[in-house]
Amino acid sequence: MLEKIKNNFNTQTWVLIPIAIAINIAVGQIVVLLKLPVYLDSIGTVLVAVLCGPWAGALAGALTNIIWGLAIDPNALPWWPVAFFIGYMAGRMAEWGFFKSWWKVVVTGFVVALTAAIVSTPIAVYIYGGITASGSSFITAYLLETGRGIWQAVFSTNFLVEPVDKITTAMISFAIILGLPKRTIGGYPKPEQVEVEGGADKNQMYIAIGVVVLLVLFAAFLLRNVLGG
Amino acid sequence: MRERLSFHIKRDSALHRLNPLTKLLLVLALILSAFLTPFYWTPHILAILVIPILSVIGRVGREYLSTAFRLILPAATFLFLMQAFFHPIGKEIIFAFYFLDMTLESLMFAFGNAMRIVVMVSAFTIFLLTTHPSELMSDLSRRGLPGQFAYVIISTLQILPQVQAKAQTIISAQRSRGLETEGGFFKRAGALIPLIGPLVFGSLVEVEERAIAIEARGFTSKHVKTSLHEIPDTPTDIFLRWFLTTLIAASIGLKLWLS
C-alpha cells in the first residue's frame, strides 16, 4: 500500500503539483471571465492524476481547495474531499487504461463526474443543509419545493451539473497530453498510462465532442422537464 | 484578480505571537463546537461575540470586517434566504410571496445554518489574517510534516500570482489578435482553447527545469534540515492547546451523550 502511494511521487511530481494547482485556479478564473456554464477547475488535478497516479491526483485536488481557501476564498475549504476523489478516480481510471483514446476519456469523465456528485452530496447536506452558495442550488431549491427529499434533490442537481463539466475537463486534459512532447511525459511516474492507442484519430475527437453536445442537450431537456413538470 | 495572495497582516499582537498549531487548534475548536453543539444559540454567540473579540485581540478588526462584508456575508445571506424559503419543514406559514413561503421552523433552521457557516469561514479568516503561511509550514515541518508538503503549499502561493499574470498576458495578446471573448455562447466557448492552451503548455514547460533545480538543492535528501527562523512555542501555547483539546473532546462527548 505505502509503496503504491510512494511510486506516485518523484521530484517531478512534487514540482508538477503546485503548477497544476495554479492551472486549476487560473483556468477556473478564465472560465468565469468567459461566462461559460462550467467550472473546469480540475484540469490540473486530472493531469497530475493521469501522469503520476491516483494518490498524487488526490493530493493535488485536495490541496487545490485548501490553497483556494487559504489565499482567495475561504468558502472553498469544505469541498476538499470532492477534489480529492476527483483526482483519485481520474488516476484509477487511467491505471485501468481509460485514458488512451477519445471515447475512453469520455467514459473517464463520466465516472469522475459520478464520483464528484456522490461525494459532494453529503457535504452539501450536512454542512450547508442542502442548499449551497452556488447557482445550481436554484435547481435543488425547486426540487425541494416540489416535495423531493433533501438527499434526492441534492444528488439530482449534482448529477445534472457534473457530467458536462467533468467530461469537458477530461477531454481538455487529454488534448493537452496529446500536445506534450514524449520526452516531457517520460519524466513522470506513469508515462505508460497515456500512450495513445492507434493514433489520436480526429474523427474520434469529433464523435467525443458530439457526445458532449448531446449530453448538454439531454441535461437541458431534463432540466426543462423537471422545472416545467 | 487580487494583487496580494495571502490574507496575512503583519502586526504585533497576542494572537500573532501564538504558535501556529495553537491557532489551528483554536479554529478547529470553534468550528466543531459550532457544528456539534446541542444548544441553538451557540453558533450565534460564537459569530457575534467570540470571533469579533478575537479579531480585536489580534488587532485585525478592520481587515476582518472588510473580509466579512466582502466574502462571508454575501454567501451567508444567500444561503439564509434560499434555505428559509425552500427548506420544507414546519407547517405554519408566516410569510408568503407568490410561490415562496417561509415557516418559523425553516426560518430558525436557515438562521442557525447560516451562522454555522459564518463561524466556520470567519474562524479560518482570523487564522489566516494573523498567521503567515510560511510560519505555519515551518512549524508543521518541525513537528514532522514531510518537507515536500511545505514545498507544495509555499511554492503554490508563489507560482499562483505568476500564472495569473501569465493568463492576463495571454488574454490581452489573443484579444489584440482579434480573438473575441464576448458575444454568443459558441464564440465564447471557442475562445477557451486559444486561452488555456498557451497557459497550460507554457506552465508545464517549467516543470523539468524546476525539478532539476530543487534536486540540485537537496530536495530529496533525508538529512534533517535546519531552519533560519525559530517559531516560538511558549508554555502559554501548551496550556492553551490542552484547554482547546479538552473543549473539543467535551463537545464531541456532549454530542454523543445527547444523541
Side-chain angles (χ1 to χ4, degrees):
Chain A
M1 181 71 180
L2 203 62
E3 274 312 301
K4 275 201 166 155
I5 297 178
K6 267 190 183 157
N7 76 15
N8 285 189
F9 296 93
N10 63 17
T11 310
Q12 212 151 310
T13 312
W14 287 113
V15 181
L16 178 66
I17 290 175
I19 291 179
I21 295 171
I23 289 175
N24 282 341
I25 297 176
V27 172
Q29 287 171 336
I30 289 180
V31 171
V32 171
L33 183 94
L34 290 174
K35 299 195 196 74
L36 295 174
V38 282
Y39 306 111
L40 298 189
D41 53 4
S42 41
I43 293 179
T45 309
V46 173
L47 282 176
V48 174
V50 299
L51 287 171
C52 307
W55 298 103
L59 182 70
L63 286 178
T64 299
N65 274 55
I66 290 171
I67 285 172
W68 206 315
L70 283 176
I72 298 168
D73 181 359
N75 292 309
L77 272 174
W79 300 97
W80 69 265
V82 183
F84 180 96
F85 279 101
I86 289 172
Y88 179 81
M89 211 54 220
R92 274 275 174 269
M93 290 301 286
E95 236 173 44
W96 294 329
F98 276 88
F99 219 81
K100 297 186 170 190
S101 69
W102 285 105
W103 74 266
K104 286 181 176 170
V105 167
V106 172
V107 175
T108 300
F110 187 75
V111 173
V112 170
L114 203 62
T115 316
I118 292 171
V119 180
S120 57
T121 303
I123 297 180
V125 172
Y126 281 124
I127 296 189
Y128 289 90
I131 291 161
T132 64
S134 91
S136 60
S137 289
F138 283 104
I139 308 172
T140 318
Y142 183 85
L143 290 173
L144 279 176
E145 196 71 351
T146 50
R148 261 66 156 211
I150 185 141
W151 288 88
Q152 198 194 349
V154 175
F155 184 75
S156 327
T157 311
N158 287 338
F159 190 71
L160 220 56
V161 179
E162 294 286 351
V164 175
D165 182 46
K166 295 302 175 303
I167 293 175
T168 317
T169 301
M171 284 173 63
I172 292 177
S173 312
F174 189 58
I176 289 164
I177 289 195
L178 289 180
L180 283 176
K182 277 235 162 68
R183 197 183 69 99
T184 315
I185 292 176
Y188 295 105
K190 312 247 164 119
E192 71 283 355
Q193 285 183 173
V194 291
E195 268 169 21
V196 181
E197 278 170 355
D201 195 356
K202 269 269 157 63
N203 290 333
Q204 273 203 24
M205 183 181 76
Y206 293 133
I207 295 171
I209 292 176
V211 170
V212 174
V213 172
L214 279 180
L215 210 70
V216 174
L217 292 177
F218 180 63
F221 169 75
L222 272 184
L223 209 63
R224 213 196 54 186
N225 263 10
V226 166
L227 296 184
Chain B
M1 286 172 199
R2 287 161 55 90
E3 65 293 339
R4 192 164 50 84
L5 197 73
S6 96
F7 285 98
H8 179 246
I9 309 280
K10 196 169 157 38
R11 286 217 182 113
D12 186 41
S13 78
L15 218 54
H16 282 75
R17 279 193 301 273
L18 279 184
N19 185 278
L21 189 69
T22 315
K23 282 184 267 185
L24 206 56
L25 209 59
L26 176 67
V27 171
L28 198 68
L30 283 171
I31 295 175
L32 282 179
S33 50
F35 273 88
L36 297 178
T37 177
F39 311 110
Y40 182 75
W41 293 104
T42 315
H44 307 71
I45 293 168
L46 290 178
I48 294 166
L49 213 63
V50 177
I51 288 176
I53 289 176
L54 277 177
S55 79
V56 172
I57 296 176
R59 296 184 48 211
V60 287
R62 190 181 305 155
E63 288 81 2
Y64 168 69
L65 271 186
S66 95
T67 318
F69 277 109
R70 209 185 61 237
L71 288 175
I72 305 171
L73 270 188
T77 313
F78 179 74
L79 210 65
F80 169 70
L81 288 177
M82 294 283 281
Q83 296 192 338
F85 282 120
F86 293 112
H87 208 79
I89 49 171
K91 295 227 156 43
E92 211 171 310
I93 292 167
I94 54 169
F95 177 80
F97 177 76
Y98 289 110
F99 61 94
L100 300 169
D101 45 28
M102 196 188 274
T103 63
L104 191 61
E105 283 88 345
S106 74
L107 188 72
M108 295 286 272
F109 173 83
F111 195 55
N113 227 326
M115 275 303 179
R116 277 206 284 275
I117 302 294
V118 169
V119 171
M120 180 173 74
V121 180
S122 49
F124 264 108
T125 311
I126 298 280
F127 173 71
L128 297 174
L129 282 170
T130 57
T131 316
H132 196 277
S134 48
E135 225 172 83
L136 171 68
M137 282 304 136
S138 39
D139 191 57
L140 289 183
S141 28
R142 194 174 55 93
R143 292 176 201 272
L145 181 84
Q148 284 92 333
F149 284 91
Y151 166 79
V152 168
I153 303 238
I154 297 299
S155 72
T156 309
L157 291 176
Q158 281 171 1
I159 291 173
L160 189 52
Q162 293 171 17
V163 172
Q164 284 176 327
K166 202 186 272 178
Q168 275 306 326
T169 315
I170 292 169
I171 291 172
S172 312
Q174 297 284 37
R175 269 182 185 156
S176 72
R177 295 177 58 215
L179 184 81
E180 293 190 53
T181 53
E182 276 144 39
F185 173 74
F186 287 101
K187 257 195 192 130
R188 283 180 285 134
L192 194 63
I193 297 298
L195 290 182
I196 66 176
L199 178 74
V200 174
F201 287 121
S203 311
L204 288 179
V205 178
E206 291 172 21
V207 172
E208 208 181 350
E209 217 173 286
R210 275 176 183 267
I212 294 169
I214 63 167
E215 198 62 75
R217 286 163 178 74
F219 182 66
T220 41
S221 154
K222 298 258 184 318
H223 289 280
V224 179
K225 284 148 193 156
T226 49
S227 171
L228 187 60
H229 298 284
E230 282 293 319
I231 313 285
D233 197 9
T234 60
T236 325
D237 279 303
I238 294 166
F239 168 74
L240 266 177
R241 281 206 294 274
W242 272 108
F243 175 70
L244 291 167
T245 317
T246 322
L247 205 67
I248 292 172
S251 59
I252 294 175
L254 202 61
K255 172 83 181 170
L256 289 179
W257 185 52
L258 286 177
S259 65

